[in-house]
Every structure is written in structure tokens, then in C-alpha cells.
Amino acid sequence: MRSFNGTNKNKKYFEGWYFKHSKGNQVMALIPGINVDENGVKSAFIQVITNEQSYQITYSYKKFYASPQKFFVKIGNNVFCKKGIKLDIQEKNLSLKGTIRYGNFHK
């Protein structure tokens, strides 16, 4: 996985990472990312997609950090890296809290 490329982007930019998890017929995808609109306004988000529904949680860009050296993304209290994911999302219609650990990635 590549490190973050959007540090100096100021207009119309999107960068995100797709994590798909499945068990049997149940699927959950998590997409952390950033968006820069046409006016240069930056925001961070986590999109959660399940078999039943899709959610998008928007965060202030100030709550976003991505390492330029290695794959490590933090949005709010949520962490995404090669070793796994730590989730702490408490929204009106969505509550996700826990850790998913990964083995080696395969290209």
C-alpha cells in the first residue's frame, strides 16, 4: 500500500482506501479518505458499506492524519494501517467499535 499523496492538494481532489471484509454472505467495506472541493475546502470521511446499507461519516480535516512514509491513516479515533483497523464510530444510526487485525497482504 502506498502512503498518502494528497498533502499539497488544494482543489478537486479525492483520495481514499478500500478495505473489504467478508464472512459467509455478510460483507462490510470501509473506505477512509479525504475530499477537497472546487473551493479548496477539505474534509475527511469514513464510508461504511454493508449488505443492507451505506453510511458516510464526515470529519473535520483537522481530525485527519496520514503518514507520508508508510500506510497509516487516522481519522478521529479510527486507525487504518497494514496491521489492521481500529474503529470507534458512534453516530445516530451507526455504532462500530473494535479492532480487526490483518496478516500479510497479497498483491
PDB file of all heavy atoms in Angstrom, residues 8-45:
ATOM      1  N   ASN A   8      -0.453  18.309  -0.513  1.00  0.00           N
ATOM      2  CA  ASN A   8      -0.476  19.666  -1.057  1.00  0.00           C
ATOM      3  C   ASN A   8      -1.604  19.915  -2.051  1.00  0.00           C
ATOM      4  O   ASN A   8      -1.550  20.865  -2.821  1.00  0.00           O
ATOM      5  CB  ASN A   8       0.877  19.976  -1.720  1.00  0.00           C
ATOM      6  CG  ASN A   8       1.997  19.938  -0.714  1.00  0.00           C
ATOM      7  OD1 ASN A   8       1.874  20.448   0.385  1.00  0.00           O
ATOM      8  ND2 ASN A   8       3.095  19.307  -1.079  1.00  0.00           N
ATOM      9  N   LYS A   9      -2.622  19.096  -2.031  1.00  0.00           N
ATOM     10  CA  LYS A   9      -3.744  19.264  -2.959  1.00  0.00           C
ATOM     11  C   LYS A   9      -4.690  20.331  -2.427  1.00  0.00           C
ATOM     12  O   LYS A   9      -5.055  20.327  -1.258  1.00  0.00           O
ATOM     13  CB  LYS A   9      -4.497  17.955  -3.152  1.00  0.00           C
ATOM     14  CG  LYS A   9      -3.627  16.811  -3.627  1.00  0.00           C
ATOM     15  CD  LYS A   9      -3.057  17.077  -5.003  1.00  0.00           C
ATOM     16  CE  LYS A   9      -2.254  15.877  -5.454  1.00  0.00           C
ATOM     17  NZ  LYS A   9      -1.649  16.023  -6.738  1.00  0.00           N
ATOM     18  N   ASN A  10      -5.091  21.257  -3.307  1.00  0.00           N
ATOM     19  CA  ASN A  10      -5.927  22.369  -2.869  1.00  0.00           C
ATOM     20  C   ASN A  10      -7.260  22.504  -3.594  1.00  0.00           C
ATOM     21  O   ASN A  10      -8.097  23.283  -3.183  1.00  0.00           O
ATOM     22  CB  ASN A  10      -5.151  23.679  -3.004  1.00  0.00           C
ATOM     23  CG  ASN A  10      -3.996  23.723  -2.037  1.00  0.00           C
ATOM     24  OD1 ASN A  10      -4.148  23.409  -0.865  1.00  0.00           O
ATOM     25  ND2 ASN A  10      -2.828  24.089  -2.520  1.00  0.00           N
ATOM     26  N   LYS A  11      -7.454  21.774  -4.685  1.00  0.00           N
ATOM     27  CA  LYS A  11      -8.724  21.873  -5.409  1.00  0.00           C
ATOM     28  C   LYS A  11      -9.080  20.544  -6.041  1.00  0.00           C
ATOM     29  O   LYS A  11      -8.225  19.867  -6.609  1.00  0.00           O
ATOM     30  CB  LYS A  11      -8.646  22.944  -6.502  1.00  0.00           C
ATOM     31  CG  LYS A  11      -8.604  24.334  -5.923  1.00  0.00           C
ATOM     32  CD  LYS A  11      -8.861  25.363  -6.967  1.00  0.00           C
ATOM     33  CE  LYS A  11      -8.816  26.717  -6.268  1.00  0.00           C
ATOM     34  NZ  LYS A  11      -9.317  27.776  -7.058  1.00  0.00           N
ATOM     35  N   LYS A  12     -10.360  20.190  -5.949  1.00  0.00           N
ATOM     36  CA  LYS A  12     -10.926  18.992  -6.578  1.00  0.00           C
ATOM     37  C   LYS A  12     -10.006  17.785  -6.480  1.00  0.00           C
ATOM     38  O   LYS A  12      -9.381  17.374  -7.446  1.00  0.00           O
ATOM     39  CB  LYS A  12     -11.277  19.276  -8.039  1.00  0.00           C
ATOM     40  CG  LYS A  12     -12.432  20.221  -8.199  1.00  0.00           C
ATOM     41  CD  LYS A  12     -12.843  20.297  -9.659  1.00  0.00           C
ATOM     42  CE  LYS A  12     -14.031  21.211  -9.805  1.00  0.00           C
ATOM     43  NZ  LYS A  12     -14.509  21.253 -11.177  1.00  0.00           N
ATOM     44  N   TYR A  13      -9.957  17.236  -5.301  1.00  0.00           N
ATOM     45  CA  TYR A  13      -9.093  16.076  -5.077  1.00  0.00           C
ATOM     46  C   TYR A  13      -9.804  15.090  -4.158  1.00  0.00           C
ATOM     47  O   TYR A  13     -10.518  15.479  -3.240  1.00  0.00           O
ATOM     48  CB  TYR A  13      -7.765  16.513  -4.449  1.00  0.00           C
ATOM     49  CG  TYR A  13      -6.800  15.372  -4.259  1.00  0.00           C
ATOM     50  CD1 TYR A  13      -6.095  14.849  -5.333  1.00  0.00           C
ATOM     51  CD2 TYR A  13      -6.600  14.810  -3.006  1.00  0.00           C
ATOM     52  CE1 TYR A  13      -5.212  13.789  -5.173  1.00  0.00           C
ATOM     53  CE2 TYR A  13      -5.719  13.753  -2.832  1.00  0.00           C
ATOM     54  CZ  TYR A  13      -5.030  13.255  -3.911  1.00  0.00           C
ATOM     55  OH  TYR A  13      -4.170  12.206  -3.758  1.00  0.00           O
ATOM     56  N   PHE A  14      -9.596  13.816  -4.435  1.00  0.00           N
ATOM     57  CA  PHE A  14     -10.123  12.741  -3.598  1.00  0.00           C
ATOM     58  C   PHE A  14      -9.016  11.712  -3.430  1.00  0.00           C
ATOM     59  O   PHE A  14      -8.292  11.404  -4.382  1.00  0.00           O
ATOM     60  CB  PHE A  14     -11.333  12.077  -4.271  1.00  0.00           C
ATOM     61  CG  PHE A  14     -11.644  10.722  -3.712  1.00  0.00           C
ATOM     62  CD1 PHE A  14     -12.401  10.581  -2.561  1.00  0.00           C
ATOM     63  CD2 PHE A  14     -11.148   9.569  -4.307  1.00  0.00           C
ATOM     64  CE1 PHE A  14     -12.670   9.335  -2.038  1.00  0.00           C
ATOM     65  CE2 PHE A  14     -11.419   8.317  -3.797  1.00  0.00           C
ATOM     66  CZ  PHE A  14     -12.179   8.207  -2.652  1.00  0.00           C
ATOM     67  N   GLU A  15      -8.883  11.207  -2.228  1.00  0.00           N
ATOM     68  CA  GLU A  15      -8.007  10.059  -2.002  1.00  0.00           C
ATOM     69  C   GLU A  15      -8.646   9.208  -0.920  1.00  0.00           C
ATOM     70  O   GLU A  15      -9.092   9.718   0.107  1.00  0.00           O
ATOM     71  CB  GLU A  15      -6.612  10.489  -1.572  1.00  0.00           C
ATOM     72  CG  GLU A  15      -5.644   9.329  -1.483  1.00  0.00           C
ATOM     73  CD  GLU A  15      -4.189   9.750  -1.374  1.00  0.00           C
ATOM     74  OE1 GLU A  15      -3.882  10.944  -1.555  1.00  0.00           O
ATOM     75  OE2 GLU A  15      -3.360   8.858  -1.104  1.00  0.00           O
ATOM     76  N   GLY A  16      -8.718   7.910  -1.180  1.00  0.00           N
ATOM     77  CA  GLY A  16      -9.319   7.000  -0.221  1.00  0.00           C
ATOM     78  C   GLY A  16      -8.742   5.606  -0.367  1.00  0.00           C
ATOM     79  O   GLY A  16      -8.065   5.303  -1.346  1.00  0.00           O
ATOM     80  N   TRP A  17      -9.020   4.778   0.617  1.00  0.00           N
ATOM     81  CA  TRP A  17      -8.508   3.409   0.653  1.00  0.00           C
ATOM     82  C   TRP A  17      -9.675   2.473   0.934  1.00  0.00           C
ATOM     83  O   TRP A  17     -10.519   2.758   1.779  1.00  0.00           O
ATOM     84  CB  TRP A  17      -7.437   3.279   1.735  1.00  0.00           C
ATOM     85  CG  TRP A  17      -6.304   4.225   1.512  1.00  0.00           C
ATOM     86  CD1 TRP A  17      -5.162   3.976   0.810  1.00  0.00           C
ATOM     87  CD2 TRP A  17      -6.201   5.573   1.960  1.00  0.00           C
ATOM     88  NE1 TRP A  17      -4.355   5.092   0.799  1.00  0.00           N
ATOM     89  CE2 TRP A  17      -4.977   6.091   1.500  1.00  0.00           C
ATOM     90  CE3 TRP A  17      -7.029   6.422   2.700  1.00  0.00           C
ATOM     91  CZ2 TRP A  17      -4.555   7.386   1.752  1.00  0.00           C
ATOM     92  CZ3 TRP A  17      -6.607   7.704   2.960  1.00  0.00           C
ATOM     93  CH2 TRP A  17      -5.388   8.169   2.491  1.00  0.00           C
ATOM     94  N   TYR A  18      -9.713   1.360   0.237  1.00  0.00           N
ATOM     95  CA  TYR A  18     -10.847   0.441   0.286  1.00  0.00           C
ATOM     96  C   TYR A  18     -10.447  -0.814   1.054  1.00  0.00           C
ATOM     97  O   TYR A  18      -9.475  -1.479   0.694  1.00  0.00           O
ATOM     98  CB  TYR A  18     -11.242   0.087  -1.153  1.00  0.00           C
ATOM     99  CG  TYR A  18     -12.431  -0.813  -1.282  1.00  0.00           C
ATOM    100  CD1 TYR A  18     -13.717  -0.315  -1.204  1.00  0.00           C
ATOM    101  CD2 TYR A  18     -12.267  -2.182  -1.494  1.00  0.00           C
ATOM    102  CE1 TYR A  18     -14.825  -1.140  -1.347  1.00  0.00           C
ATOM    103  CE2 TYR A  18     -13.362  -3.010  -1.631  1.00  0.00           C
ATOM    104  CZ  TYR A  18     -14.630  -2.481  -1.563  1.00  0.00           C
ATOM    105  OH  TYR A  18     -15.717  -3.300  -1.701  1.00  0.00           O
ATOM    106  N   PHE A  19     -11.190  -1.118   2.112  1.00  0.00           N
ATOM    107  CA  PHE A  19     -10.977  -2.321   2.915  1.00  0.00           C
ATOM    108  C   PHE A  19     -12.261  -3.145   2.882  1.00  0.00           C
ATOM    109  O   PHE A  19     -13.286  -2.712   3.409  1.00  0.00           O
ATOM    110  CB  PHE A  19     -10.675  -1.959   4.375  1.00  0.00           C
ATOM    111  CG  PHE A  19      -9.388  -1.220   4.568  1.00  0.00           C
ATOM    112  CD1 PHE A  19      -9.339   0.159   4.415  1.00  0.00           C
ATOM    113  CD2 PHE A  19      -8.242  -1.899   4.911  1.00  0.00           C
ATOM    114  CE1 PHE A  19      -8.163   0.848   4.606  1.00  0.00           C
ATOM    115  CE2 PHE A  19      -7.050  -1.214   5.106  1.00  0.00           C
ATOM    116  CZ  PHE A  19      -7.012   0.155   4.950  1.00  0.00           C
ATOM    117  N   LYS A  20     -12.215  -4.313   2.285  1.00  0.00           N
ATOM    118  CA  LYS A  20     -13.392  -5.180   2.196  1.00  0.00           C
ATOM    119  C   LYS A  20     -13.213  -6.361   3.154  1.00  0.00           C
ATOM    120  O   LYS A  20     -12.194  -7.040   3.138  1.00  0.00           O
ATOM    121  CB  LYS A  20     -13.570  -5.698   0.767  1.00  0.00           C
ATOM    122  CG  LYS A  20     -14.798  -6.570   0.609  1.00  0.00           C
ATOM    123  CD  LYS A  20     -14.939  -7.025  -0.835  1.00  0.00           C
ATOM    124  CE  LYS A  20     -16.133  -7.947  -1.006  1.00  0.00           C
ATOM    125  NZ  LYS A  20     -16.226  -8.439  -2.390  1.00  0.00           N
ATOM    126  N   HIS A  21     -14.247  -6.590   3.955  1.00  0.00           N
ATOM    127  CA  HIS A  21     -14.243  -7.692   4.913  1.00  0.00           C
ATOM    128  C   HIS A  21     -15.477  -8.549   4.657  1.00  0.00           C
ATOM    129  O   HIS A  21     -16.559  -8.011   4.454  1.00  0.00           O
ATOM    130  CB  HIS A  21     -14.287  -7.145   6.340  1.00  0.00           C
ATOM    131  CG  HIS A  21     -13.179  -6.187   6.621  1.00  0.00           C
ATOM    132  ND1 HIS A  21     -13.304  -4.841   6.365  1.00  0.00           N
ATOM    133  CD2 HIS A  21     -11.929  -6.381   7.092  1.00  0.00           C
ATOM    134  CE1 HIS A  21     -12.167  -4.255   6.694  1.00  0.00           C
ATOM    135  NE2 HIS A  21     -11.319  -5.155   7.126  1.00  0.00           N
ATOM    136  N   SER A  22     -15.304  -9.857   4.688  1.00  0.00           N
ATOM    137  CA  SER A  22     -16.458 -10.723   4.467  1.00  0.00           C
ATOM    138  C   SER A  22     -16.379 -11.962   5.340  1.00  0.00           C
ATOM    139  O   SER A  22     -15.303 -12.436   5.695  1.00  0.00           O
ATOM    140  CB  SER A  22     -16.554 -11.127   2.997  1.00  0.00           C
ATOM    141  OG  SER A  22     -15.411 -11.854   2.606  1.00  0.00           O
ATOM    142  N   LYS A  23     -17.553 -12.438   5.682  1.00  0.00           N
ATOM    143  CA  LYS A  23     -17.710 -13.698   6.417  1.00  0.00           C
ATOM    144  C   LYS A  23     -18.991 -14.323   5.900  1.00  0.00           C
ATOM    145  O   LYS A  23     -20.080 -13.784   6.126  1.00  0.00           O
ATOM    146  CB  LYS A  23     -17.776 -13.465   7.923  1.00  0.00           C
ATOM    147  CG  LYS A  23     -17.875 -14.762   8.700  1.00  0.00           C
ATOM    148  CD  LYS A  23     -17.835 -14.528  10.187  1.00  0.00           C
ATOM    149  CE  LYS A  23     -17.906 -15.865  10.899  1.00  0.00           C
ATOM    150  NZ  LYS A  23     -17.889 -15.676  12.353  1.00  0.00           N
ATOM    151  N   GLY A  24     -18.854 -15.424   5.174  1.00  0.00           N
ATOM    152  CA  GLY A  24     -20.027 -16.025   4.544  1.00  0.00           C
ATOM    153  C   GLY A  24     -20.613 -15.055   3.539  1.00  0.00           C
ATOM    154  O   GLY A  24     -19.902 -14.505   2.703  1.00  0.00           O
ATOM    155  N   ASN A  25     -21.905 -14.802   3.650  1.00  0.00           N
ATOM    156  CA  ASN A  25     -22.580 -13.861   2.750  1.00  0.00           C
ATOM    157  C   ASN A  25     -22.566 -12.421   3.255  1.00  0.00           C
ATOM    158  O   ASN A  25     -23.036 -11.520   2.565  1.00  0.00           O
ATOM    159  CB  ASN A  25     -24.031 -14.290   2.529  1.00  0.00           C
ATOM    160  CG  ASN A  25     -24.112 -15.573   1.733  1.00  0.00           C
ATOM    161  OD1 ASN A  25     -23.229 -15.866   0.937  1.00  0.00           O
ATOM    162  ND2 ASN A  25     -25.164 -16.341   1.955  1.00  0.00           N
ATOM    163  N   GLN A  26     -22.064 -12.202   4.455  1.00  0.00           N
ATOM    164  CA  GLN A  26     -22.028 -10.851   5.022  1.00  0.00           C
ATOM    165  C   GLN A  26     -20.766 -10.125   4.575  1.00  0.00           C
ATOM    166  O   GLN A  26     -19.667 -10.672   4.632  1.00  0.00           O
ATOM    167  CB  GLN A  26     -22.076 -10.902   6.557  1.00  0.00           C
ATOM    168  CG  GLN A  26     -23.389 -11.407   7.104  1.00  0.00           C
ATOM    169  CD  GLN A  26     -24.526 -10.465   6.738  1.00  0.00           C
ATOM    170  OE1 GLN A  26     -24.450  -9.261   6.941  1.00  0.00           O
ATOM    171  NE2 GLN A  26     -25.602 -11.031   6.193  1.00  0.00           N
ATOM    172  N   VAL A  27     -20.940  -8.885   4.113  1.00  0.00           N
ATOM    173  CA  VAL A  27     -19.814  -8.079   3.641  1.00  0.00           C
ATOM    174  C   VAL A  27     -19.881  -6.707   4.296  1.00  0.00           C
ATOM    175  O   VAL A  27     -20.955  -6.126   4.461  1.00  0.00           O
ATOM    176  CB  VAL A  27     -19.862  -7.913   2.103  1.00  0.00           C
ATOM    177  CG1 VAL A  27     -18.759  -6.992   1.621  1.00  0.00           C
ATOM    178  CG2 VAL A  27     -19.762  -9.265   1.421  1.00  0.00           C
ATOM    179  N   MET A  28     -18.715  -6.206   4.687  1.00  0.00           N
ATOM    180  CA  MET A  28     -18.604  -4.836   5.173  1.00  0.00           C
ATOM    181  C   MET A  28     -17.361  -4.225   4.538  1.00  0.00           C
ATOM    182  O   MET A  28     -16.268  -4.785   4.641  1.00  0.00           O
ATOM    183  CB  MET A  28     -18.478  -4.752   6.686  1.00  0.00           C
ATOM    184  CG  MET A  28     -18.361  -3.315   7.170  1.00  0.00           C
ATOM    185  SD  MET A  28     -18.370  -3.107   8.968  1.00  0.00           S
ATOM    186  CE  MET A  28     -16.823  -3.857   9.402  1.00  0.00           C
ATOM    187  N   ALA A  29     -17.544  -3.113   3.860  1.00  0.00           N
ATOM    188  CA  ALA A  29     -16.417  -2.379   3.291  1.00  0.00           C
ATOM    189  C   ALA A  29     -16.260  -1.075   4.056  1.00  0.00           C
ATOM    190  O   ALA A  29     -17.244  -0.436   4.440  1.00  0.00           O
ATOM    191  CB  ALA A  29     -16.655  -2.102   1.813  1.00  0.00           C
ATOM    192  N   LEU A  30     -15.022  -0.701   4.283  1.00  0.00           N
ATOM    193  CA  LEU A  30     -14.692   0.550   4.958  1.00  0.00           C
ATOM    194  C   LEU A  30     -13.800   1.358   4.031  1.00  0.00           C
ATOM    195  O   LEU A  30     -12.828   0.833   3.483  1.00  0.00           O
ATOM    196  CB  LEU A  30     -13.958   0.278   6.266  1.00  0.00           C
ATOM    197  CG  LEU A  30     -14.726  -0.572   7.274  1.00  0.00           C
ATOM    198  CD1 LEU A  30     -13.796  -1.121   8.324  1.00  0.00           C
ATOM    199  CD2 LEU A  30     -15.817   0.262   7.916  1.00  0.00           C
ATOM    200  N   ILE A  31     -14.148   2.614   3.835  1.00  0.00           N
ATOM    201  CA  ILE A  31     -13.372   3.477   2.953  1.00  0.00           C
ATOM    202  C   ILE A  31     -13.039   4.768   3.707  1.00  0.00           C
ATOM    203  O   ILE A  31     -13.871   5.671   3.794  1.00  0.00           O
ATOM    204  CB  ILE A  31     -14.134   3.801   1.659  1.00  0.00           C
ATOM    205  CG1 ILE A  31     -14.572   2.516   0.962  1.00  0.00           C
ATOM    206  CG2 ILE A  31     -13.275   4.676   0.741  1.00  0.00           C
ATOM    207  CD1 ILE A  31     -15.539   2.728  -0.175  1.00  0.00           C
ATOM    208  N   PRO A  32     -11.839   4.859   4.280  1.00  0.00           N
ATOM    209  CA  PRO A  32     -11.408   6.139   4.845  1.00  0.00           C
ATOM    210  C   PRO A  32     -10.836   6.996   3.732  1.00  0.00           C
ATOM    211  O   PRO A  32     -10.245   6.474   2.778  1.00  0.00           O
ATOM    212  CB  PRO A  32     -10.320   5.720   5.840  1.00  0.00           C
ATOM    213  CG  PRO A  32      -9.738   4.474   5.246  1.00  0.00           C
ATOM    214  CD  PRO A  32     -10.890   3.782   4.541  1.00  0.00           C
ATOM    215  N   GLY A  33     -11.021   8.309   3.820  1.00  0.00           N
ATOM    216  CA  GLY A  33     -10.481   9.149   2.772  1.00  0.00           C
ATOM    217  C   GLY A  33     -10.608  10.627   3.063  1.00  0.00           C
ATOM    218  O   GLY A  33     -11.111  11.040   4.111  1.00  0.00           O
ATOM    219  N   ILE A  34     -10.144  11.416   2.078  1.00  0.00           N
ATOM    220  CA  ILE A  34     -10.270  12.870   2.149  1.00  0.00           C
ATOM    221  C   ILE A  34     -10.847  13.375   0.836  1.00  0.00           C
ATOM    222  O   ILE A  34     -10.733  12.727  -0.196  1.00  0.00           O
ATOM    223  CB  ILE A  34      -8.932  13.578   2.431  1.00  0.00           C
ATOM    224  CG1 ILE A  34      -7.917  13.353   1.309  1.00  0.00           C
ATOM    225  CG2 ILE A  34      -8.366  13.183   3.769  1.00  0.00           C
ATOM    226  CD1 ILE A  34      -7.410  14.617   0.720  1.00  0.00           C
ATOM    227  N   ASN A  35     -11.445  14.543   0.929  1.00  0.00           N
ATOM    228  CA  ASN A  35     -12.010  15.203  -0.240  1.00  0.00           C
ATOM    229  C   ASN A  35     -11.646  16.680  -0.167  1.00  0.00           C
ATOM    230  O   ASN A  35     -11.692  17.284   0.902  1.00  0.00           O
ATOM    231  CB  ASN A  35     -13.533  15.042  -0.235  1.00  0.00           C
ATOM    232  CG  ASN A  35     -14.162  15.666  -1.452  1.00  0.00           C
ATOM    233  OD1 ASN A  35     -13.895  15.262  -2.563  1.00  0.00           O
ATOM    234  ND2 ASN A  35     -14.984  16.675  -1.221  1.00  0.00           N
ATOM    235  N   VAL A  36     -11.256  17.243  -1.306  1.00  0.00           N
ATOM    236  CA  VAL A  36     -11.051  18.685  -1.426  1.00  0.00           C
ATOM    237  C   VAL A  36     -12.009  19.152  -2.512  1.00  0.00           C
ATOM    238  O   VAL A  36     -11.952  18.662  -3.642  1.00  0.00           O
ATOM    239  CB  VAL A  36      -9.596  19.034  -1.821  1.00  0.00           C
ATOM    240  CG1 VAL A  36      -9.412  20.545  -1.859  1.00  0.00           C
ATOM    241  CG2 VAL A  36      -8.593  18.380  -0.884  1.00  0.00           C
ATOM    242  N   ASP A  37     -12.915  20.066  -2.159  1.00  0.00           N
ATOM    243  CA  ASP A  37     -13.898  20.501  -3.153  1.00  0.00           C
ATOM    244  C   ASP A  37     -13.324  21.589  -4.068  1.00  0.00           C
ATOM    245  O   ASP A  37     -12.165  21.993  -3.930  1.00  0.00           O
ATOM    246  CB  ASP A  37     -15.209  20.917  -2.502  1.00  0.00           C
ATOM    247  CG  ASP A  37     -15.154  22.218  -1.715  1.00  0.00           C
ATOM    248  OD1 ASP A  37     -14.188  23.003  -1.883  1.00  0.00           O
ATOM    249  OD2 ASP A  37     -16.085  22.467  -0.937  1.00  0.00           O
ATOM    250  N   GLU A  38     -14.146  22.066  -5.010  1.00  0.00           N
ATOM    251  CA  GLU A  38     -13.690  23.036  -6.002  1.00  0.00           C
ATOM    252  C   GLU A  38     -13.268  24.367  -5.389  1.00  0.00           C
ATOM    253  O   GLU A  38     -12.554  25.149  -6.006  1.00  0.00           O
ATOM    254  CB  GLU A  38     -14.756  23.261  -7.079  1.00  0.00           C
ATOM    255  CG  GLU A  38     -16.073  23.798  -6.566  1.00  0.00           C
ATOM    256  CD  GLU A  38     -17.012  22.726  -6.021  1.00  0.00           C
ATOM    257  OE1 GLU A  38     -16.718  21.524  -6.148  1.00  0.00           O
ATOM    258  OE2 GLU A  38     -18.046  23.098  -5.453  1.00  0.00           O
ATOM    259  N   ASN A  39     -13.704  24.638  -4.135  1.00  0.00           N
ATOM    260  CA  ASN A  39     -13.327  25.872  -3.442  1.00  0.00           C
ATOM    261  C   ASN A  39     -12.126  25.687  -2.520  1.00  0.00           C
ATOM    262  O   ASN A  39     -11.745  26.605  -1.805  1.00  0.00           O
ATOM    263  CB  ASN A  39     -14.508  26.408  -2.639  1.00  0.00           C
ATOM    264  CG  ASN A  39     -15.663  26.763  -3.537  1.00  0.00           C
ATOM    265  OD1 ASN A  39     -15.478  27.418  -4.566  1.00  0.00           O
ATOM    266  ND2 ASN A  39     -16.851  26.321  -3.188  1.00  0.00           N
ATOM    267  N   GLY A  40     -11.573  24.475  -2.507  1.00  0.00           N
ATOM    268  CA  GLY A  40     -10.418  24.194  -1.653  1.00  0.00           C
ATOM    269  C   GLY A  40     -10.761  23.779  -0.243  1.00  0.00           C
ATOM    270  O   GLY A  40      -9.881  23.640   0.594  1.00  0.00           O
ATOM    271  N   VAL A  41     -12.056  23.571   0.036  1.00  0.00           N
ATOM    272  CA  VAL A  41     -12.475  23.139   1.374  1.00  0.00           C
ATOM    273  C   VAL A  41     -12.188  21.646   1.529  1.00  0.00           C
ATOM    274  O   VAL A  41     -12.639  20.833   0.718  1.00  0.00           O
ATOM    275  CB  VAL A  41     -13.970  23.440   1.619  1.00  0.00           C
ATOM    276  CG1 VAL A  41     -14.412  22.916   2.971  1.00  0.00           C
ATOM    277  CG2 VAL A  41     -14.234  24.928   1.497  1.00  0.00           C
ATOM    278  N   LYS A  42     -11.441  21.302   2.572  1.00  0.00           N
ATOM    279  CA  LYS A  42     -11.028  19.917   2.810  1.00  0.00           C
ATOM    280  C   LYS A  42     -11.874  19.285   3.906  1.00  0.00           C
ATOM    281  O   LYS A  42     -12.230  19.933   4.879  1.00  0.00           O
ATOM    282  CB  LYS A  42      -9.561  19.862   3.231  1.00  0.00           C
ATOM    283  CG  LYS A  42      -8.615  20.373   2.178  1.00  0.00           C
ATOM    284  CD  LYS A  42      -7.173  20.312   2.671  1.00  0.00           C
ATOM    285  CE  LYS A  42      -6.217  20.822   1.601  1.00  0.00           C
ATOM    286  NZ  LYS A  42      -4.818  20.730   2.051  1.00  0.00           N
ATOM    287  N   SER A  43     -12.176  18.003   3.723  1.00  0.00           N
ATOM    288  CA  SER A  43     -12.858  17.234   4.766  1.00  0.00           C
ATOM    289  C   SER A  43     -12.354  15.803   4.708  1.00  0.00           C
ATOM    290  O   SER A  43     -11.818  15.352   3.709  1.00  0.00           O
ATOM    291  CB  SER A  43     -14.376  17.282   4.593  1.00  0.00           C
ATOM    292  OG  SER A  43     -14.747  16.702   3.357  1.00  0.00           O
ATOM    293  N   ALA A  44     -12.517  15.102   5.807  1.00  0.00           N
ATOM    294  CA  ALA A  44     -12.180  13.682   5.884  1.00  0.00           C
ATOM    295  C   ALA A  44     -13.480  12.914   6.067  1.00  0.00           C
ATOM    296  O   ALA A  44     -14.498  13.468   6.488  1.00  0.00           O
ATOM    297  CB  ALA A  44     -11.237  13.422   7.059  1.00  0.00           C
ATOM    298  N   PHE A  45     -13.447  11.626   5.743  1.00  0.00           N
ATOM    299  CA  PHE A  45     -14.661  10.824   5.883  1.00  0.00           C
ATOM    300  C   PHE A  45     -14.291   9.365   6.073  1.00  0.00           C
ATOM    301  O   PHE A  45     -13.187   8.930   5.762  1.00  0.00           O
ATOM    302  CB  PHE A  45     -15.572  10.968   4.658  1.00  0.00           C
ATOM    303  CG  PHE A  45     -14.947  10.436   3.401  1.00  0.00           C
ATOM    304  CD1 PHE A  45     -15.061   9.091   3.057  1.00  0.00           C
ATOM    305  CD2 PHE A  45     -14.219  11.261   2.578  1.00  0.00           C
ATOM    306  CE1 PHE A  45     -14.466   8.592   1.911  1.00  0.00           C
ATOM    307  CE2 PHE A  45     -13.623  10.781   1.420  1.00  0.00           C
ATOM    308  CZ  PHE A  45     -13.746   9.440   1.091  1.00  0.00           C
TER     309      PHE A  45
END
